Amino acid sequence: MSSMTSKTEMPSPAAHTTPETARAYLFTSESVTEGHPDKIADQISDGVLDALIGQDPASRVACEVLVTTGLAFVAGEISSKGYVEIPRLVRQIIGEIGYDSAEYGFDSHTCAVITAIDDQSGDIAMGVDKGGAGDQGLMFGYACRETPELMPMPIMLAHRLTRRLAEVRRSGQLPYLRPDGKSQVTIEYEGNRPVRIDTVVVSTQHHADVKQAQIAADLKEIVIGPALPPELIDPKRPIKFYINPTGQFVKGGPMADTGLTGRKIIADTYGGVGSHGGGAFSGKDPSKVDRSASYAARHIAKNLVASDLCERCEIQIAYAIGEPDPVSVMVNTWGTGTLPDAELTRRVKAVWDLKPLSIIRDLDLRRPIYRRTAAYGHFGREEDTFTWEKTNRVDDLRRG
């Protein structure tokens, strides 16, 4: 699909079509359940971070996890006055997710846990200690008017489906479901407006004895139906459903697929809409700008849209390791702003102090709040601990 951009615009995916080039197209986003192997790894990484930062808010944590059949391997660089019994914590998290029986091929009671932890590099600490960024890199934030949460519609619906899968599994409403699962939602757009759900894909791990016809019927009635907004359903063009499209999904979780921290960065953010700097979030304390500056960028983007200064926008922030001030800040509204992007960028720089220590202070990030972020997305969730979702700088932006 061709992309039409002016000389001053950045290349962008289909969801960034401007009103002047309005056309119909399809856009797809995916989500995974908390029992997906990569999400198990993310939750363990953030569980370790929470355990340490809860004892020592100044903890420096970079925790990576690999899970596979019968094994969780925890590695990283950690400097903290706190202490955590990592094997016990790992098994606790695995059990809370739902892998608490050998029947699932991954059992919190019997899985092995291996650790390989070192101190944070003194070379990095020299820069962080003076308030500099914990690494170089570029981070992006995004917001738009497609949903009340000011998020893209496809990723919000995909998360709604995977959350619902987990709910009906945990409640026992569908007792044959197992923890692993995925969803995918394809939306038809006209210009920048979502108009119709085109395709829904749901794959869920299940007990071997249940028939696929029953799974399909139950998921359509109990999981999918309640999750889809009726205004996006066109009876004249029915939604295409793919439920466990391979035919069955008995073997799942780490027994079927090795999981790694940070391998679901698109599901963690905006579902493929907008740009991504490549840095993962989970397992990283807020001195790592991969995490804290990405949260700040979302905070900025959401406040810009909520202030009615634009219909949608993307923010880029970039840092050099050890330096406190960003090397660049950019606002891109794709022509939807009520003011030029250069003026919006000026206002953002006037309203936000984007030094890492200032971001940490303003968003109150030195708290054990991170495991909750490790499944179903870091953005678009109206929860008290998700401070980057607050629209508390709207008046400042309007005043300029």
Side-chain angles (χ1 to χ4, degrees):
M1 180 161 49
S2 63
S3 173
M4 300 179 63
T5 57
S6 72
K7 292 181 180 178
T8 59
E9 289 180 318
M10 296 178 65
S12 52
H16 291 156
T17 308
T18 61
E20 292 76 18
T21 59
R23 65 195 187 282
Y25 59 89
L26 301 177
F27 194 88
T28 303
S29 296
E30 76 155 358
S31 176
V32 298
T33 65
E34 65 217 52
H36 185 281
D38 294 332
K39 280 291 143 198
I40 298 172
D42 283 342
Q43 289 168 91
I44 293 171
S45 292
D46 275 336
V48 171
L49 170 62
D50 280 354
L52 291 170
I53 209 170
Q55 300 172 61
D56 175 12
S59 295
R60 305 274 173 80
V61 179
C63 179
E64 311 290 345
V65 175
L66 177 151
V67 293
T68 188
T69 304
L71 172 66
F73 183 81
V74 183
E77 296 76 46
I78 295 175
S79 296
S80 176
K81 295 178 182 177
Y83 172 77
V84 56
E85 182 67 32
I86 289 178
R88 180 183 302 168
L89 177 64
V90 168
R91 294 190 181 99
Q92 174 190 331
I93 292 171
I94 292 169
E96 289 172 355
I97 291 169
Y99 290 102
D100 54 4
S101 169
E103 177 188 356
Y104 306 151
F106 193 65
D107 184 0
S108 61
H109 302 102
T110 59
C111 71
V113 180
I114 299 174
T115 62
I117 305 295
D118 292 313
D119 292 333
Q120 183 189 58
S121 164
D123 297 337
I124 297 174
M126 287 172 58
V128 177
D129 289 345
K130 66 178 185 181
D135 200 353
Q136 72 174 48
L138 49 145
M139 299 85 208
F140 290 91
Y142 184 85
C144 62
R145 293 196 183 281
E146 293 177 25
T147 66
E149 300 86 359
L150 303 185
M151 286 284 287
M153 181 69 75
I155 188 62
M156 294 306 291
L157 294 185
H159 285 323
R160 194 180 295 178
L161 289 171
T162 51
R163 275 185 175 276
R164 183 67 180 156
L165 273 178
E167 289 169 4
V168 299
R169 171 179 62 88
R170 290 179 176 278
S171 70
Q173 189 173 5
L174 295 180
Y176 57 79
L177 295 186
R178 300 295 180 254
D180 197 357
K182 303 177 78 170
S183 73
Q184 190 170 283
V185 177
T186 300
I187 299 288
E188 181 181 348
Y189 282 79
E190 290 179 358
N192 299 314
R193 186 170 63 93
V195 296
R196 184 179 69 91
I197 300 169
D198 182 83
T199 306
V200 171
V201 182
V202 176
S203 295
T204 180
Q205 187 185 12
H206 58 87
H207 191 281
D209 292 341
V210 67
K211 303 297 185 184
Q212 292 302 313
Q214 181 184 349
I215 295 174
D218 287 346
L219 293 194
K220 284 182 180 179
E221 178 184 355
I222 298 171
V223 174
I224 300 171
L228 302 183
E231 64 272 17
L232 292 181
I233 299 174
D234 183 352
K236 296 179 181 178
R237 292 186 291 170
I239 298 170
K240 296 184 285 290
F241 293 102
Y242 297 91
I243 298 174
N244 283 357
T246 66
Q248 68 175 24
F249 187 178
V250 174
K251 184 177 181 180
M255 184 180 183
D257 181 20
T258 298
L260 296 169
T261 299
R263 205 160 58 176
K264 284 291 176 285
I265 59 175
I266 298 302
D268 283 343
T269 52
Y270 307 102
V273 177
S275 307
H276 199 296
F281 302 154
S282 290
K284 297 178 181 177
D285 76 83
S287 73
K288 279 72 171 174
V289 285
D290 274 343
R291 179 167 228 157
S292 54
S294 294
Y295 290 177
R298 164 63 179 171
H299 189 222
I300 294 167
K302 188 172 183 181
N303 276 266
L304 278 169
V305 173
S307 70
D308 297 321
L309 292 173
C310 57
E311 292 294 311
R312 56 199 172 88
C313 66
E314 181 174 271
I315 313 299
Q316 187 200 56
I317 311 171
Y319 293 85
I321 189 169
E323 294 296 321
D325 290 305
V327 299
S328 67
V329 179
M330 181 206 71
V331 176
N332 184 11
T333 66
W334 295 279
T336 69
T338 60
L339 297 168
D341 288 354
E343 170 60 17
L344 295 178
T345 300
R346 186 199 67 77
R347 292 190 183 197
V348 165
K349 293 164 88 171
V351 170
W352 274 271
D353 182 348
L354 292 172
K355 297 181 179 67
L357 288 180
S358 301
I359 293 172
I360 291 168
R361 176 199 66 211
D362 293 344
L363 295 181
D364 196 12
L365 297 180
R366 292 203 182 279
R367 296 175 294 147
I369 59 174
Y370 296 106
R371 187 182 160 194
R372 288 188 64 80
T373 70
Y376 311 115
H378 294 246
F379 306 128
R381 295 168 59 177
E382 304 293 340
E383 302 183 30
D384 289 341
T385 57
F386 286 53
T387 50
W388 48 95
E389 293 295 318
K390 297 184 182 299
T391 52
N392 55 345
R393 307 307 297 270
V394 164
D395 292 338
D396 296 332
L397 282 169
R398 287 172 177 162
R399 283 193 296 267

